[in-house]
Amino acid sequence: MSAGRPLTKAERKKFNRAEHERKIKQELIAQHGNDLGTFYAWLRLVNIRGTQAYRDGDLTYIREVALALHNVHSRHSG
């Protein structure tokens, strides 16, 4: 984890975010089962990251997610 040294502020922030995302996923899987829980966790994380990207003014992430969702919808809606 820390390679024998304290984590920098940026490393600590990244580590805490990863732990928070892991916790969200575990809770949703425990509540809804593996498939639906994983899907809900994905939606929740995309929402969190999309909000962060929007606040930072980075619309590229939001466009990529919208395109990915459109592609999935197109594949499964016939």
Side-chain angles (χ1 to χ4, degrees), residues 1-19:
M1 174 176 101
S2 65
R5 62 171 175 75
L7 296 176
T8 64
K9 185 176 181 180
E11 290 170 336
R12 173 59 62 186
K13 186 174 182 179
K14 188 175 181 180
F15 176 77
N16 287 342
R17 181 173 290 152
E19 286 294 308

Side-chain angles (χ1 to χ4, degrees), residues 3 8 10 19 24 30 33-34 38 40-41 51 63 72-75 77:
T8 64
E19 286 294 308
I24 289 171
N34 193 38
T38 301
Y40 283 160
T51 301
R63 285 187 193 108
V72 169
H73 173 55
S74 297
R75 245 182 285 150
S77 64

Side-chain angles (χ1 to χ4, degrees), residues 27-56:
E27 289 174 355
L28 288 170
I29 288 174
Q31 185 176 4
H32 298 287
N34 193 38
D35 291 338
L36 189 58
T38 301
F39 177 70
Y40 283 160
W42 181 81
L43 285 178
R44 180 98 180 268
L45 296 179
V46 166
N47 185 11
I48 291 169
R49 291 181 185 169
T51 301
Q52 291 167 347
Y54 178 76
R55 287 181 184 154
D56 293 341

